[in-house]
Amino acid sequence: MATSCKNSITLRGSTEIVTEFFHYGLHSILYQRGLYPPETFAHTQQWGLTMLVSCDKDLQTFLGNILCQVKTWLTDMTVEKLVLVVKEVGTNNVVERWQFDVECDRTVTKDTKREVKDKDIQDGIRAVIRQITASVTFLPLLETPCCFDILVYTDKDLEVPEEWGETGPHLIYNSEEVKLKSFCTSVHKVNTAVAFKKH
């Protein structure tokens, strides 16, 4: 007899899952796009996939600080999107823009429990990570040295920590966009897309 395992998820549990997805997703993009040397990444297992995570301490600290704040905003349901922009070092021209739109179910409170299948969430995350990995097949080669920046869009009235600065949207003119899959925890939904400069 087949059974389907259902679990309940809370706001806190959903926040943990989405933050973890951002952690592995951002590392995967940085590896796939060659922004850090491949030998600085280590293999690890997550969601039944072999993932690559940077061993660079400065990068780990940088991303860790960002994701710690994003986690707070996910819990408060004040984050709207997280964007990783890839820029040419010499010109600061944006050549790629990875956008993760976050939809929050604002009816959820800290005490809410939702029935959800773990497998459904993990299948959704695996599908997005696989698409990030496969993106090298359609994205243009980065032919000049590039760096990256992380943008986080929040509710307009939100007070932002002092160490965070205001910036423009870093849009790409004459770009093409590819929408990737999304996943949903029943509390948060994350839609992914990548825009890149047409050549």
Side-chain angles (χ1 to χ4, degrees):
M1 178 168 108
T3 60
S4 67
C5 179
K6 282 199 174 178
N7 299 79
S8 58
I9 195 165
T10 60
L11 173 57
R12 183 177 171 191
S14 177
T15 296
E16 293 284 346
I17 289 168
V18 175
T19 305
E20 200 170 37
F21 164 75
F22 284 149
H23 168 77
Y24 288 104
L26 293 174
H27 280 273
S28 186
I29 292 165
L30 296 175
Y31 173 81
Q32 295 299 335
R33 302 311 289 141
L35 295 176
Y36 283 80
E39 63 273 11
T40 64
F41 287 80
H43 292 84
T44 185
Q45 289 291 316
Q46 185 64 22
W47 306 302
L49 296 173
T50 299
M51 308 291 293
L52 288 149
V53 176
S54 175
C55 300
D56 184 293
K57 297 289 183 211
D58 291 338
L59 178 59
Q60 287 177 349
T61 301
F62 177 71
L63 292 178
N65 289 339
I66 289 170
L67 292 178
C68 184
Q69 182 59 62
V70 167
K71 190 175 184 177
T72 300
W73 288 333
L74 283 166
T75 302
D76 296 342
M77 297 200 178
T78 51
V79 65
E80 295 171 359
K81 64 182 79 169
L82 183 144
V83 179
L84 184 150
V85 291
V86 179
K87 304 184 285 187
E88 292 176 340
V89 170
T91 63
N92 247 6
N93 284 340
V94 179
V95 292
E96 273 178 30
R97 193 173 192 278
W98 293 82
Q99 183 165 307
F100 302 93
D101 291 322
V102 181
E103 295 173 27
C104 304
D105 181 346
R106 293 180 186 271
T107 64
V108 171
T109 66
K110 289 187 175 164
D111 301 321
T112 304
K113 287 187 178 175
R114 293 267 174 88
E115 291 290 310
V116 67
K117 289 182 187 171
D118 275 350
K119 183 182 182 307
D120 291 347
I121 297 172
Q122 290 182 13
D123 285 350
I125 290 172
R126 275 194 290 268
V128 178
I129 294 291
R130 284 188 179 116
Q131 285 188 309
I132 290 170
T133 303
S135 67
V136 292
T137 62
F138 65 81
L139 289 173
L141 279 175
L142 300 175
E143 294 172 344
T144 59
C146 289
C147 59
F148 78 97
D149 210 348
I150 305 278
L151 313 177
V152 182
Y153 291 71
T154 60
D155 287 356
K156 286 186 175 70
D157 301 331
L158 192 71
E159 267 196 46
V160 177
E162 279 182 28
E163 60 272 16
W164 288 63
E166 293 283 330
T167 186
H170 289 71
L171 299 174
I172 305 171
Y173 300 100
N174 192 25
S175 69
E176 199 169 314
E177 183 177 88
V178 175
K179 291 198 180 303
L180 305 182
K181 296 195 183 229
S182 60
F183 75 92
C184 183
T185 66
S186 84
V187 176
H188 298 99
K189 182 178 182 185
V190 179
N191 302 299
T192 309
V194 57
F196 52 94
K197 207 172 192 67
K198 284 184 188 172
H199 285 287

